[in-house]
Amino acid sequence: MTEIERGKFNKNSFRLSAVSCQRKLKAESRELSAVRYAPMWILQNAETETTFRLRPGAVKTVGRAPRADFMLDAALVSRLHCRITATTDKLEVVDLKSTNGTFVNDKRVQKAHLKGGDRLRLGRAELTVEKTKT
């Protein structure tokens, strides 16, 4: 039972309870911000200012078709060009039998692991890979 509940309180009791409430709020906000800003992969195209974001566990398709998870309307990109799987430490890209191929750092690949700083080229679109920090 607190002093306020017992009826024994003064000005300092209110100050102490306000300070403890502020501390609790700060701790809770730190916990929430950790959840809100979990690590994330970002694929960016500087020319078109296109940005795709993937959280760990996400599996997305990229292509020109409306049914693709990430639509990329660029020359030489197939309707369903590739599939990207995100984990906490890497991205995996798998070419889905695209006509013009999938390239990682200018090397044609069927399947590859990406990390921060790599360049993913689909048709004429080049995406740079970044990983946010927690």
Side-chain angles (χ1 to χ4, degrees):
M1 192 176 223
T2 65
E3 291 179 5
I4 295 171
E5 291 169 340
R6 280 186 259 144
K8 297 179 182 176
F9 57 90
N10 58 30
K11 269 194 310 192
N12 291 332
S13 298
F14 287 115
R15 285 188 190 133
L16 288 173
S17 63
V19 169
S20 65
C21 285
Q22 286 174 343
R23 286 183 185 146
K24 285 180 186 177
L25 285 172
K26 283 182 183 177
E28 288 174 4
S29 69
R30 272 188 241 118
E31 290 173 17
L32 287 174
S33 67
V35 171
R36 193 178 329 153
Y37 300 112
M40 181 184 303
W41 291 96
I42 300 173
L43 300 171
Q44 284 188 316
N45 181 323
E47 285 182 23
T48 62
E49 297 179 8
T50 303
T51 302
F52 302 128
R53 292 179 172 84
L54 295 107
R55 292 195 184 278
V59 178
K60 303 289 183 183
T61 56
V62 182
R64 282 184 301 115
R67 70 177 190 251
D69 297 314
F70 293 148
M71 276 187 58
L72 188 61
D73 191 20
L76 307 178
V77 174
S78 295
R79 286 181 214 133
L80 285 179
H81 200 99
C82 66
R83 181 181 64 236
I84 300 174
T85 305
T87 64
T88 53
D89 56 339
K90 65 185 175 217
L91 284 178
E92 179 185 73
V93 64
V94 177
D95 185 79
L96 297 177
K97 299 181 183 176
S98 63
T99 305
N100 296 302
T102 299
F103 295 81
V104 175
N105 299 327
D106 296 322
K107 181 180 174 189
R108 189 171 185 156
V109 296
Q110 292 301 311
K111 181 178 181 180
H113 294 279
L114 305 170
K115 58 188 182 311
D118 284 346
R119 292 172 290 119
L120 174 64
R121 187 164 44 92
L122 312 171
R124 293 219 174 115
E126 184 168 282
L127 303 166
T128 55
V129 178
E130 295 176 34
K131 183 180 179 189
T132 62
K133 296 177 180 161
T134 54

